[in-house]
Amino acid sequence: MSDDFELDTDDLQRRMDGAMANLRTEFASLRTGRASASMLEPVMVEAYGQPTPINQVGTVNVPEPRMVTINVWDKGLVGKVEKAIRESGLGINPQLNGTIIMLPIPELNEERRRELTKVAGHYAEQARVAIRNVRRDGMDQIKKAKADGMSEDDQKFWETEVQDLTDKMIAAVDNALEHKQSEIMQV
């Protein structure tokens, strides 16, 4: 009956890759003691009546290793950009110079580094949960096909495929977490 069952492993792979991409974005927002334009990506500014990413209201530059500058295009938004950065939880104190906002990146102390590694671990766990949810969806499709008459051999084959894909993606998350934590702890 269901001999022609074909699990869409490409779709499962795509969804798991999405979880990894989200993890990389979250990791990029974590400070490591070095200035990076990507650390401002999650910060949204209330501009023109809607939340807007900082890079859409000004030019973000990294002129030196411990400094990020934002050249805000609209003078009326300078205060809003400054407020958004202060309230973002990045632990950075913006300094104004006309329409340019300077963000000196302070040296991370040991306690703050440990906190950031815990946050990185939390982000990684969220990615693992997302990957496991995709795995569960795949397994549910297989169980449904089994109920529709798939053979046990086919069921085992597809379950192994989904599990292998899941194991590979979880290992990638663990690897990314290990790399990010060593980057954060590096003085």
Side-chain angles (χ1 to χ4, degrees), residues 2-3 5 7 138-163:
S2 194
D3 290 339
F5 176 77
L7 184 65
M139 292 299 193
D140 288 348
Q141 290 176 29
I142 294 167
K143 284 181 184 148
K144 186 174 180 290
K146 170 98 169 87
D148 291 344
M150 181 198 306
S151 71
E152 271 192 45
D153 288 344
D154 287 346
Q155 177 189 7
K156 292 286 185 220
F157 171 79
W158 288 112
E159 285 177 352
T160 303
E161 287 287 309
V162 171
Q163 189 60 48

Side-chain angles (χ1 to χ4, degrees), residues 20-66:
M20 274 303 291
N22 188 41
L23 177 66
R24 284 189 199 99
T25 302
E26 288 176 331
F27 277 177
S29 71
L30 286 178
R31 290 196 309 120
T32 58
R34 290 189 301 272
S36 158
S38 64
M39 64 193 286
L40 296 173
E41 284 178 5
V43 180
M44 300 299 257
V45 180
E46 191 63 36
Y48 313 115
Q50 61 189 17
T52 309
I54 283 187
N55 64 3
Q56 292 183 14
V57 296
T59 307
V60 180
N61 289 315
V62 183
E64 51 189 79
R66 295 210 165 280

Side-chain angles (χ1 to χ4, degrees), residues 9 30-31 46-47 51 64 68 78 82 95 97 105 121 133-134 144 154 175:
T9 54
L30 286 178
R31 290 196 309 120
E46 191 63 36
E64 51 189 79
V68 176
V78 172
E82 179 189 20
Q95 299 170 352
N97 184 1
I105 309 299
N133 286 340
V134 174
K144 186 174 180 290
D154 287 346
N175 189 24

Side-chain angles (χ1 to χ4, degrees), residues 13 18 21 26 31 34 70 81-82 84-85 90 109 123 125 141 152 166 168 179:
Q13 178 75 50
E26 288 176 331
R31 290 196 309 120
R34 290 189 301 272
I70 305 164
V81 171
E82 179 189 20
I85 293 168
L90 287 174
N109 61 22
Y123 288 160
E125 186 54 35
Q141 290 176 29
E152 271 192 45
T166 303
K168 186 177 87 177
H179 178 72

Side-chain angles (χ1 to χ4, degrees), residues 32-34 107-108 113 180-187:
T32 58
R34 290 189 301 272
E107 186 73 42
L108 293 175
R113 288 178 193 279
K180 187 62 176 184
Q181 285 179 333
S182 68
E183 189 180 305
I184 290 170
M185 293 307 287
Q186 184 180 26
V187 178

Side-chain angles (χ1 to χ4, degrees), residues 66-92:
R66 295 210 165 280
M67 178 73 69
V68 176
T69 60
I70 305 164
N71 188 355
V72 182
W73 301 318
D74 183 350
K75 267 187 173 172
L77 293 176
V78 172
K80 290 182 178 184
V81 171
E82 179 189 20
K83 181 180 178 196
I85 293 168
R86 284 188 198 282
E87 295 175 351
S88 69
L90 287 174
I92 300 174

